[in-house]
Amino acid sequence: MRWIMMAIMGLMIGVTAHAAEYRVLADRKVNFDAYKTFRFEKITITRASGAKVKQENLDRLREAVTERLVKEGLAEDKTKADLEVTLTAGSEAELSLAETQGVPYFDGAWRILPKSGESDIQDAAAGAPKYSQASLRIDLKDSKTGVVVWRALISDLVRLPVSQQVIAAALAKVFEQYPPPPAE
Protein backbone atom coordinates (compact mmCIF):
# COMPACT_ATOMS: atom_id res chain seq x y z
CA MET A 1 0.00 0.00 0.00
CA ARG A 2 2.85 2.35 0.84
CA TRP A 3 4.39 1.81 -2.61
CA ILE A 4 1.10 2.63 -4.29
CA MET A 5 0.78 5.88 -2.31
CA MET A 6 4.37 6.85 -3.20
CA ALA A 7 3.72 6.11 -6.87
CA ILE A 8 0.55 8.23 -6.84
CA MET A 9 2.35 11.11 -5.14
CA GLY A 10 5.22 10.87 -7.64
CA LEU A 11 2.75 10.94 -10.51
CA MET A 12 0.97 13.97 -9.05
CA ILE A 13 4.26 15.83 -8.61
CA GLY A 14 5.25 14.98 -12.17
CA VAL A 15 1.94 16.24 -13.56
CA THR A 16 2.17 19.45 -11.54
CA ALA A 17 5.76 20.09 -12.58
CA HIS A 18 4.95 19.46 -16.23
CA ALA A 19 1.97 21.83 -16.13
CA ALA A 20 4.27 24.62 -14.95
CA GLU A 21 6.03 24.78 -18.34
CA TYR A 22 5.30 28.12 -19.92
CA ARG A 23 6.61 30.88 -22.11
CA VAL A 24 5.57 34.54 -22.19
CA LEU A 25 6.21 36.68 -25.26
CA ALA A 26 5.79 40.44 -25.00
CA ASP A 27 6.52 43.71 -26.75
CA ARG A 28 8.53 45.36 -23.98
CA LYS A 29 8.48 48.73 -25.76
CA VAL A 30 4.73 49.04 -25.17
CA ASN A 31 3.43 51.17 -22.29
CA PHE A 32 1.32 48.58 -20.46
CA ASP A 33 0.17 51.24 -17.96
CA ALA A 34 -2.03 52.65 -20.76
CA TYR A 35 -4.15 49.47 -20.80
CA LYS A 36 -7.06 49.67 -18.39
CA THR A 37 -9.80 47.55 -19.97
CA PHE A 38 -10.20 44.27 -21.85
CA ARG A 39 -12.79 42.26 -23.71
CA PHE A 40 -12.79 38.74 -25.08
CA GLU A 41 -12.52 38.48 -28.82
CA LYS A 42 -12.50 34.70 -29.16
CA ILE A 43 -12.30 31.62 -26.94
CA THR A 44 -11.70 28.20 -28.45
CA ILE A 45 -10.81 24.77 -27.17
CA THR A 46 -10.07 22.35 -29.99
CA ARG A 47 -10.04 18.63 -29.29
CA ALA A 48 -7.68 16.46 -31.32
CA SER A 49 -10.61 14.15 -32.05
CA GLY A 50 -12.64 17.04 -33.45
CA ALA A 51 -15.40 16.44 -30.88
CA LYS A 52 -17.42 19.44 -29.76
CA VAL A 53 -16.41 21.15 -26.51
CA LYS A 54 -19.14 21.90 -23.98
CA GLN A 55 -19.96 25.56 -23.40
CA GLU A 56 -19.35 25.15 -19.66
CA ASN A 57 -15.68 24.35 -20.37
CA LEU A 58 -15.32 27.50 -22.46
CA ASP A 59 -17.03 29.48 -19.69
CA ARG A 60 -14.71 28.07 -17.00
CA LEU A 61 -11.65 29.01 -19.03
CA ARG A 62 -13.02 32.51 -19.62
CA GLU A 63 -13.83 32.95 -15.91
CA ALA A 64 -10.33 31.92 -14.82
CA VAL A 65 -8.66 34.36 -17.23
CA THR A 66 -11.11 37.15 -16.36
CA GLU A 67 -10.34 36.70 -12.67
CA ARG A 68 -6.60 36.92 -13.37
CA LEU A 69 -6.89 40.02 -15.58
CA VAL A 70 -9.00 41.77 -12.92
CA LYS A 71 -6.32 40.92 -10.32
CA GLU A 72 -3.82 42.61 -12.65
CA GLY A 73 -5.86 45.83 -12.43
CA LEU A 74 -7.77 45.55 -15.72
CA ALA A 75 -11.54 45.91 -15.97
CA GLU A 76 -13.75 44.06 -18.41
CA ASP A 77 -15.52 46.33 -20.89
CA LYS A 78 -17.54 44.48 -23.52
CA THR A 79 -18.02 47.52 -25.76
CA LYS A 80 -14.85 49.62 -25.95
CA ALA A 81 -11.73 47.97 -24.49
CA ASP A 82 -8.01 48.74 -24.69
CA LEU A 83 -7.07 45.06 -25.03
CA GLU A 84 -8.75 42.24 -26.93
CA VAL A 85 -8.21 38.80 -25.42
CA THR A 86 -8.06 35.61 -27.44
CA LEU A 87 -7.84 32.23 -25.70
CA THR A 88 -6.83 29.23 -27.78
CA ALA A 89 -6.61 25.87 -26.08
CA GLY A 90 -6.14 22.42 -27.45
CA SER A 91 -4.62 21.22 -30.69
CA GLU A 92 -4.39 24.69 -32.32
CA ALA A 93 -2.56 26.34 -29.42
CA GLU A 94 0.98 25.68 -30.56
CA LEU A 95 3.17 28.24 -32.32
CA SER A 96 5.70 27.56 -35.00
CA LEU A 97 9.27 28.55 -34.21
CA ALA A 98 9.08 31.22 -36.94
CA GLU A 99 6.30 33.01 -34.99
CA THR A 100 8.62 33.51 -32.02
CA GLN A 101 11.71 34.79 -33.87
CA GLY A 102 12.89 38.23 -32.76
CA VAL A 103 10.21 38.48 -30.05
CA PRO A 104 11.20 38.93 -26.40
CA TYR A 105 10.03 35.99 -24.29
CA PHE A 106 10.26 34.78 -20.72
CA ASP A 107 10.95 31.17 -19.72
CA GLY A 108 12.63 31.79 -16.38
CA ALA A 109 14.63 34.75 -17.70
CA TRP A 110 13.88 37.35 -20.38
CA ARG A 111 15.44 36.43 -23.75
CA ILE A 112 15.05 37.18 -27.44
CA LEU A 113 15.21 34.46 -30.07
CA PRO A 114 17.39 35.85 -32.86
CA LYS A 115 15.87 36.18 -36.31
CA SER A 116 17.33 33.56 -38.57
CA GLY A 117 16.95 32.10 -42.04
CA GLU A 118 14.22 29.62 -42.90
CA SER A 119 16.71 26.72 -42.98
CA ASP A 120 17.82 27.52 -39.42
CA ILE A 121 14.19 27.54 -38.28
CA GLN A 122 13.53 24.13 -39.79
CA ASP A 123 16.71 22.70 -38.23
CA ALA A 124 15.88 24.12 -34.80
CA ALA A 125 12.26 23.01 -34.97
CA ALA A 126 13.21 19.36 -34.54
CA GLY A 127 14.69 20.07 -31.11
CA ALA A 128 12.26 22.83 -30.15
CA PRO A 129 9.70 22.17 -27.43
CA LYS A 130 6.26 21.35 -28.77
CA TYR A 131 3.11 22.34 -27.00
CA SER A 132 0.77 19.40 -26.62
CA GLN A 133 -2.88 19.33 -27.52
CA ALA A 134 -3.64 20.42 -23.95
CA SER A 135 -1.83 23.75 -24.35
CA LEU A 136 -3.29 27.18 -23.70
CA ARG A 137 -2.34 30.33 -25.60
CA ILE A 138 -3.46 33.72 -24.28
CA ASP A 139 -3.11 36.67 -26.65
CA LEU A 140 -3.59 40.26 -25.48
CA LYS A 141 -3.96 42.46 -28.55
CA ASP A 142 -3.96 46.26 -28.63
CA SER A 143 -7.47 47.20 -29.79
CA LYS A 144 -6.31 50.25 -31.74
CA THR A 145 -3.38 48.71 -33.62
CA GLY A 146 -4.53 45.08 -33.78
CA VAL A 147 -1.05 43.93 -32.70
CA VAL A 148 -0.51 41.23 -30.07
CA VAL A 149 1.45 42.94 -27.28
CA TRP A 150 1.55 40.05 -24.78
CA ARG A 151 1.22 36.31 -25.31
CA ALA A 152 1.43 33.42 -22.87
CA LEU A 153 1.90 29.79 -23.91
CA ILE A 154 1.30 27.17 -21.23
CA SER A 155 1.90 23.55 -22.11
CA ASP A 156 -0.13 20.54 -21.03
CA LEU A 157 -2.69 22.52 -19.06
CA VAL A 158 -6.23 22.50 -20.43
CA ARG A 159 -7.87 19.16 -19.87
CA LEU A 160 -11.58 18.52 -20.11
CA PRO A 161 -13.46 19.12 -17.94
CA VAL A 162 -11.62 22.40 -17.30
CA SER A 163 -10.24 22.62 -13.76
CA GLN A 164 -10.38 26.21 -12.52
CA GLN A 165 -7.91 25.42 -9.71
CA VAL A 166 -5.24 24.08 -12.07
CA ILE A 167 -5.70 26.92 -14.55
CA ALA A 168 -5.73 29.57 -11.80
CA ALA A 169 -2.41 28.29 -10.42
CA ALA A 170 -0.80 28.32 -13.88
CA LEU A 171 -2.20 31.76 -14.69
CA ALA A 172 -0.82 33.16 -11.42
CA LYS A 173 2.66 32.00 -12.48
CA VAL A 174 2.34 33.31 -16.05
CA PHE A 175 0.94 36.68 -15.01
CA GLU A 176 3.98 37.30 -12.81
CA GLN A 177 5.32 38.55 -16.17
CA TYR A 178 2.47 41.01 -16.72
CA PRO A 179 3.30 43.72 -17.33
CA PRO A 180 6.73 42.74 -18.63
CA PRO A 181 9.74 44.79 -17.56
CA PRO A 182 10.45 47.71 -19.92
CA ALA A 183 12.99 47.17 -22.69
CA GLU A 184 16.53 48.11 -21.77
Side-chain angles (χ1 to χ4, degrees), residues 22-131:
Y22 69 93
R23 180 175 287 184
V24 174
L25 296 97
D27 183 346
R28 295 172 58 197
K29 295 179 213 140
V30 168
N31 177 12
F32 282 85
D33 291 336
Y35 299 124
K36 304 293 183 202
T37 59
F38 70 93
R39 73 170 172 236
F40 286 90
E41 183 178 39
K42 186 176 179 183
I43 303 170
T44 58
I45 300 175
T46 306
R47 298 177 93 170
S49 66
K52 186 173 176 153
V53 175
K54 293 179 183 175
Q55 184 62 42
E56 67 189 55
N57 287 306
L58 297 169
D59 293 342
R60 285 185 190 147
L61 183 57
R62 182 187 188 287
E63 288 170 20
V65 174
T66 298
E67 183 178 309
R68 189 72 239 175
L69 290 170
V70 168
K71 282 184 180 178
E72 295 301 325
L74 299 168
E76 187 169 12
D77 184 337
K78 295 180 182 179
T79 57
K80 187 179 178 190
D82 303 320
L83 291 170
E84 293 178 352
V85 181
T86 301
L87 305 178
T88 309
S91 59
E92 293 180 358
E94 78 179 55
L95 283 179
S96 70
L97 189 60
E99 289 179 273
T100 63
Q101 298 299 302
V103 178
Y105 71 92
F106 181 88
D107 66 354
W110 278 97
R111 312 171 200 275
I112 296 179
L113 289 176
K115 289 196 180 263
S116 57
E118 192 64 36
S119 62
D120 293 341
I121 292 170
Q122 289 171 349
D123 293 342
K130 293 289 182 191
Y131 293 91

